[in-house]
Every structure is written in C-alpha cells, then in structure tokens.
C-alpha cells in the first residue's frame, strides 16, 4: 500500500524566514496531495492541495510543488509568522477517496 | 458549506464498557466517511472507510469486531469502541467526502476518548 514519509519532524525558524517541509510517497498511482495544519487538540485544516496534473500551486504565503517522477512534494511557507506554529501533515491519495498521512512536522516560529 | 460534526467531543469511560461516537455531515451528503485514530504527538492513522449502506473496509491491523462502524445514511456514521481498554484511549477523528466529487476530505472536530 501507499507509504508517505515526511521530513523534518521538527522545524524551528525565525519570524519572517521561510520554512520547507518535504514528503515522499511510494504509490505512483496517487493523484491528490493535500497539506494540513493541526493545532493541539483540533481537527486538521486543509491549507493547500495539489493534483497530479499540476506541478506547482501557490496561495499567498503558501506554495506546494510536486515532482511526480521523483514521487515527492514539498510545502513552502514564506514570511513565517508566530501563528504559523503548528503541526503540519502531508498526505497522498492512492485512489479517489483514501488518504495516507505523513508522520507530521512540528513547526515553531520564534518572534 | 462542508461542515462535519462529531459527538461527543470528549468521553471518559470505565474499562470494559462500550462507547459510541457519531459523525455527521451537516450540509452535504457524504458518499464516504473515514475514521482515524491519533495518539499524542503522532499522525492520523486511518482505521476504516465506510460507505452508506455497505460494510466498512478496515485497514490492516484494525480489529473490526472491536471497532464497529455503521454508516446508516448519507449524513451519519457511527464508531463504537466495544469493551474499551486503557490502550484504546486516543483522539478519534472522522472525515467525509462527497461535496466536490472526490478526494477532498472534510474533518470533524474529533472525540477525545479516555478509558480508565
């Protein structure tokens, strides 16, 4: 089945710097790659997603890139702010419904 | 749109009892609902996928007789943890798809289960 690896597990950055989180997936049939932000005790919130027919997508300070050949995708957050501090999860969908999550990255943005 | 609710938000029970958690899609019909379990500082682990009117599909290693899933309508799925034990204590989150045709999942707020 699909396996998603995520790195790094923790990431600390200074406010205003950029943060990059990387994920790799194993199933070449996966066609949907969302990113979620989760605050302690809360539900995951979708922050951006990308489909396999697109190489890059941007939404204000957040961007995602996808390399289908290498089977990896990355989340880029620019001009980080303290409120960006949370746990971020990538996920891959090997079929039309199921999502397999990465292990998560705890991002801390220091003022 | 795309609101998913869960009830209860938290529950404490004694070892050996059963607990039922409800997941509802409030403003759309959910063709598929998913149940996840999340232990502290860990990722979401998919437990099962359920479609309305059919048996749930459980992920490898998940005991279907312990975690009973019923998807009786297009807006309601329930997870019953039978004979709960302290190791079942976790954050249980449901999600639903159906609004945009495929892939995008809308998550419930989660249920914190503590088994004493």
């Amino acid at each position: 089945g699909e396996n998603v690896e995520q790195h790094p597990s923790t990431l600390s950055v200074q406010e205003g710097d950029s943060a990059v989180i990387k994920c790799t997936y194993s199933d070449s049939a996966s066609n949907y790659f969302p990113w979620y932000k989760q605050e302690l005790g809360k539900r995951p919130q979708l922050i951006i997603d990308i489909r396999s027919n697109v190489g890059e997508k941007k939404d204000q300070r957040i961007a995602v890139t996808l390399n289908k050949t290498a089977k990896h995708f990355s989340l880029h957050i620019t001009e980080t702010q303290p409120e960006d501090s949370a746990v971020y999860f990538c996920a891959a969908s090997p079929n039309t419904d199921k999502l397999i999550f990465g292990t998560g990255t705890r991002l801390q943005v220091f003022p | 749109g795309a609101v998913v609710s869960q009830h209860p938000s938290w529950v404490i029970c004694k070892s050996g009892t059963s607990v039922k958690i409800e997941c509802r899609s409030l403003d759309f019909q959910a063709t598929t609902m998913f149940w996840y379990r999340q232990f502290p500082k860990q990722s979401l682990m998919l437990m099962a996928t359920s479609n309305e009117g059919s048996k749930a599909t459980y992920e490898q290693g998940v005991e279907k007789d312990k975690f009973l899933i019923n998807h009786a309508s297009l807006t309601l799925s329930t997870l019953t943890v039978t004979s709960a034990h302290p190791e079942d204590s976790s954050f249980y989150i449901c999600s639903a798809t159906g609004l945009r045709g495929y892939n995008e999942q809308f998550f419930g707020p989660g249920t914190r289960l503590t088994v004493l």
Side-chain angles (χ1 to χ4, degrees):
Chain A
E2 175 65 280
N3 182 52
V4 180
E5 294 187 357
Q6 183 171 346
H7 299 281
S9 56
T10 60
L11 180 60
S12 296
V13 299
Q14 204 73 32
E15 182 178 0
D17 288 350
S18 295
V20 180
I21 303 171
K22 299 181 179 181
C23 289
T24 60
Y25 61 99
S26 61
D27 191 340
S28 56
S30 288
N31 57 9
Y32 175 63
F33 308 92
W35 285 89
Y36 293 90
K37 176 183 180 182
Q38 187 181 32
E39 297 177 349
L40 189 63
K42 300 290 180 64
R43 78 185 85 192
Q45 291 184 301
L46 179 70
I47 56 171
I48 196 167
D49 58 11
I50 191 167
R51 303 195 184 275
S52 59
N53 59 347
V54 177
E56 185 174 355
K57 184 177 178 181
K58 188 174 181 180
D59 183 5
Q60 298 183 331
R61 298 186 296 111
I62 296 173
V64 57
T65 59
L66 171 64
N67 183 325
K68 286 175 57 180
T69 303
K71 288 189 280 188
H72 67 69
F73 55 114
S74 301
L75 176 71
H76 304 252
I77 305 174
T78 58
E79 300 173 29
T80 54
Q81 302 166 2
E83 49 265 39
D84 293 329
S85 298
V87 179
Y88 290 80
F89 293 100
C90 64
S93 179
N95 58 34
T96 55
D97 288 336
K98 194 171 174 177
L99 282 180
I100 303 300
F101 281 79
T103 49
T105 297
R106 183 171 300 277
L107 173 65
Q108 288 185 303
V109 181
F110 292 98
Chain B
V3 179
V4 176
S5 70
Q6 263 182 261
H7 180 79
S9 56
W10 59 271
V11 57
I12 301 172
C13 69
K14 292 182 178 179
S15 186
T17 61
S18 294
V19 174
K20 180 185 282 188
I21 302 170
E22 292 187 349
C23 177
R24 293 180 184 273
S25 56
L26 299 184
D27 52 3
F28 68 102
Q29 292 187 324
T31 53
T32 306
M33 287 185 168
F34 304 87
W35 287 95
Y36 296 87
R37 181 167 53 180
Q38 186 176 33
F39 292 111
K41 297 188 178 182
Q42 293 189 21
S43 185
L44 283 80
M45 297 301 296
L46 180 64
M47 299 175 66
T49 302
S50 73
N51 293 288
E52 183 260 342
S54 60
K55 289 184 179 180
T57 301
Y58 291 82
E59 294 297 302
Q60 192 172 5
V62 177
E63 301 173 57
K64 61 180 181 181
D65 294 331
K66 181 170 183 63
F67 299 99
L68 302 179
I69 292 171
N70 186 306
H71 194 157
S73 75
L74 284 172
T75 59
L76 174 64
S77 176
T78 60
L79 168 68
T80 301
V81 183
T82 62
S83 187
H85 291 284
E87 57 265 31
D88 298 323
S89 298
S90 188
F91 193 49
Y92 292 86
I93 307 175
C94 71
S95 70
T97 60
L99 188 63
R100 303 188 205 285
Y102 67 100
N103 286 146
E104 186 172 356
Q105 293 187 16
F106 301 93
F107 286 86
T111 297
R112 172 82 51 198
L113 170 64
T114 302
V115 185
L116 302 177

